[in-house]
Amino acid sequence: MYWIIMMFIVLLASIKTAGNNKNLSVSVIIPAYNEEKTVGHVVKVVKSLNYITEVIVVDDGSTDQTAIMAIDAGAIIINHIKNRGKGAAIKTGFKNSKGDIVVFLDADIKNLTKSQVDNIIKPIMNGEADITKTKFKREAGRVTELTAKPLLNFFFPEIKFDQPLSGQFAAKRSFLNKIKLEDDYGVDVGIVLDADVMGMRVKEVDIGKVDHVLSTLTDLNIVATEVVRTIVDRATAYGRITMIDSLGQYIRMEILGLSLASLGIFAIFFIRFVSLTIGLIITGAGVIVALYYIVKILKISLNVFSRSDGNIRNLKVFLKMHSPIIVSILILLAMMTTILGSVHVDNGKISIEPASRNLIIFNNPASNQTVDVRGPYTVDSALENEFTIIRMPQEALATLELNYGDSIYINNQKYILNQTRPGEDNIIRIPNAARSVMGLNVGDIIRDGDLRNRFNNFYAAKAISTGNESDLNLTEGVVITNNLDNGRTVDIFMNNQQISHTSGVFKNGTYSIYVNGVKYKTFTYNENNPTNTYYVEIGSNLFKIVIGGPELTDMDFAPSSTGKFLNFQY
């Protein structure tokens, strides 16, 4: 039953499509140049088909009575002041036509019939094709057989039409709007090639015997030249020239070799499931291919520099020819220098330990910065006599959400955070006692994404902004965590003016407020009654602390057992 329903739906769709196509309007374009003897007959045949909505003759600079004959036969006439070529005439007619289907006919057909025109148009109207082109019996076909077919067989072997050059064809306007129409005799083959590349349905229609006005050898030479140019242009645009381009083949193989070498090196250091042996094989194969083809390329390139027309021009030619290779070599060199910069020598053992940098994407509308590249960080020992100082880069502090001058407590020892020395942008200097607690050794690499894990559950005294109150220093006690959690906002007011805002996670328990390092007040937080207000008086100033609504945060406020929730220094 299911298949019967589906077949019925498909049948309805095809009927609907066919019906729609039959309602399509049709325009006929006839390019003409000195065709007074035949153009009238062509127009009358076309006009005899009642479903054709307009017939346009483009007089391409004729010097005879072509325009008068076309008008007498009932066509709309458009004149070119001078002869511009068949393709230009077709473009003019197409631009001034309105039909959903556009038909192009030569003006010199002596024996054109209604059935021939009908055969060209009906496959499109019946939904069988998007484009139709004709084949027919004629006395001459020298350009087709001696020029077009050999080139097409070489560059576009998938095209198997009996007569790829045909002045009579029809196409949907929607397709013609997407392509470039040539200005000369290459227009016919250009349409066929564009249709093939775009995957359009092209049908070759046999319309029997056609009597054309025979062209002279000079005219055929012009036609052949324009057809060859169009085929070669399309072959270049659609990548078919590479089939005979030796230098292009060498360049592609050279890039392949460099890419394999880069892939092998990358696999050795960064792709765990690729074994060392496979990585070395890929790298070795890439190096061999790259060396082999670079020699071939250099042999050809030496011909460029042997010219006598100037070194600057030669250099430009060389760079244009080999820019893909140069970029690939630069990528390989960048990768090699990065890896060699990670070499460590320890007691005769050489190790290469590269670590990738971390791309950080912020999701905080309040922050002006949304993207940053941080780390990795190399652990080093503290400077001489700096037993209570940790030096780290600004980007590492940003990840920990701390600032220079803040303090971190490790095993009850206070460590002041200080800036790195010049040239140590990715080095974190940690005293030995702190490194022992953290399980770190000199030379260890910490990814930015792992930094908070290393400082997880450590208590920190963090300065928070107090606006314009320069006489007040305010610090909060926090516990660094490595995950987001539901916290609470804390707003601080001085004499009813807000001076600070922060957030953190409260847990059921007691929290202490200090003034000048002395405990001033302790309060109990209860998640069942989370919002509350507390007051601190310092001299004539009244501070209000408001615990407000929820906010995601990766810091825990320090309870009384761990440290100071807030410390006012005034």
Side-chain angles (χ1 to χ4, degrees), residues 63-324:
T63 57
D64 62 2
Q65 302 297 310
T66 294
I68 295 174
M69 294 298 179
I71 293 172
D72 290 345
I76 301 168
I77 189 74
I78 301 175
N79 292 297
H80 283 175
I81 296 175
K82 62 179 181 178
N83 182 256
R84 290 164 53 186
K86 178 181 178 180
I90 283 177
K91 287 167 69 173
T92 297
F94 175 65
K95 187 184 301 182
N96 289 277
S97 66
K98 301 175 182 177
D100 302 309
I101 299 173
V102 184
V103 185
F104 302 99
L105 296 176
D106 288 340
D108 63 345
I109 304 175
K110 300 176 182 178
N111 63 333
L112 184 69
T113 65
K114 287 173 58 176
S115 62
Q116 288 175 325
V117 178
D118 216 28
N119 290 339
I120 297 171
I121 301 171
K122 284 300 175 69
I124 300 178
M125 297 188 74
N126 294 335
E128 300 169 13
D130 302 309
I131 301 155
T132 57
K133 60 171 302 303
T134 60
K135 65 176 181 178
F136 44 83
K137 296 181 180 66
R138 56 175 296 177
E139 295 182 20
R142 289 164 286 178
V143 174
T144 297
E145 296 300 327
L146 300 179
T147 302
K149 279 190 174 181
L151 282 174
L152 290 173
N153 287 337
F154 193 82
F155 291 119
F156 298 90
E158 72 276 15
I159 294 178
K160 301 296 184 183
F161 297 124
D162 290 339
Q163 291 182 8
L165 304 184
S166 170
Q168 286 60 247
F169 54 92
K172 291 181 178 179
R173 177 175 293 275
S174 57
F175 161 71
L176 295 172
N177 280 329
K178 297 176 184 177
I179 67 171
K180 172 188 175 184
L181 295 172
E182 298 294 329
D183 286 332
D184 48 36
Y185 284 107
V187 64
D188 304 339
V189 73
I191 290 174
V192 171
L193 296 178
D194 289 339
D196 172 68
V197 171
M198 294 173 65
M200 307 302 292
R201 297 175 300 163
V202 183
K203 184 172 183 177
E204 189 171 44
V205 179
D206 191 345
I207 60 171
K209 191 175 188 304
V210 171
D211 290 331
H212 275 286
V213 177
L214 295 181
S215 301
T216 65
L217 190 60
T218 301
D219 291 337
L220 290 177
N221 181 50
I222 295 172
V223 173
T225 300
E226 293 170 352
V227 167
V228 169
R229 178 196 57 76
T230 301
I231 294 174
V232 172
D233 283 351
R234 291 299 196 278
T236 302
Y238 296 136
R240 306 301 179 94
I241 288 293
T242 55
M243 299 171 71
I244 61 171
D245 182 7
S246 296
L247 179 60
Q249 174 71 9
Y250 295 161
I251 290 175
R252 289 196 304 276
M253 294 304 295
E254 175 64 20
I255 294 173
L256 173 63
L258 292 170
S259 299
L260 281 173
S262 300
L263 175 62
I265 293 171
F266 189 86
I268 290 171
F269 291 99
F270 298 102
I271 305 178
R272 292 186 179 275
F273 62 83
V274 176
S275 67
L276 174 62
T277 302
I278 294 177
L280 290 173
I281 290 173
I282 295 173
T283 303
V287 170
I288 292 171
V289 171
L291 290 176
Y292 178 78
Y293 283 99
I294 198 68
V295 172
K296 286 183 169 290
I297 290 170
L298 287 175
K299 286 182 180 179
I300 297 176
S301 300
L302 288 175
N303 294 330
V304 174
F305 285 97
S306 64
R307 297 175 182 171
S308 58
D309 51 357
N311 290 330
I312 297 298
R313 183 180 183 277
N314 295 342
L315 180 61
K316 289 180 178 179
V317 171
F318 181 83
L319 292 176
K320 185 175 181 180
M321 290 167 58
H322 303 305
S323 55

Side-chain angles (χ1 to χ4, degrees), residues 42-58:
V42 174
V43 172
K44 288 177 182 178
V45 170
V46 173
K47 292 284 288 183
S48 66
L49 295 168
N50 57 14
Y51 61 83
I52 292 177
T53 51
E54 62 179 350
V55 182
I56 299 174
V57 173
V58 180

Side-chain angles (χ1 to χ4, degrees), residues 487-515:
R488 290 283 166 179
T489 61
V490 175
D491 294 303
I492 301 172
F493 298 81
M494 177 179 177
N495 300 324
N496 292 322
Q497 295 291 323
Q498 184 171 359
I499 61 171
S500 189
H501 170 85
T502 186
S503 63
V505 175
F506 285 103
K507 297 179 181 178
N508 288 339
T510 60
Y511 291 83
S512 299
I513 300 172
Y514 286 70
V515 175

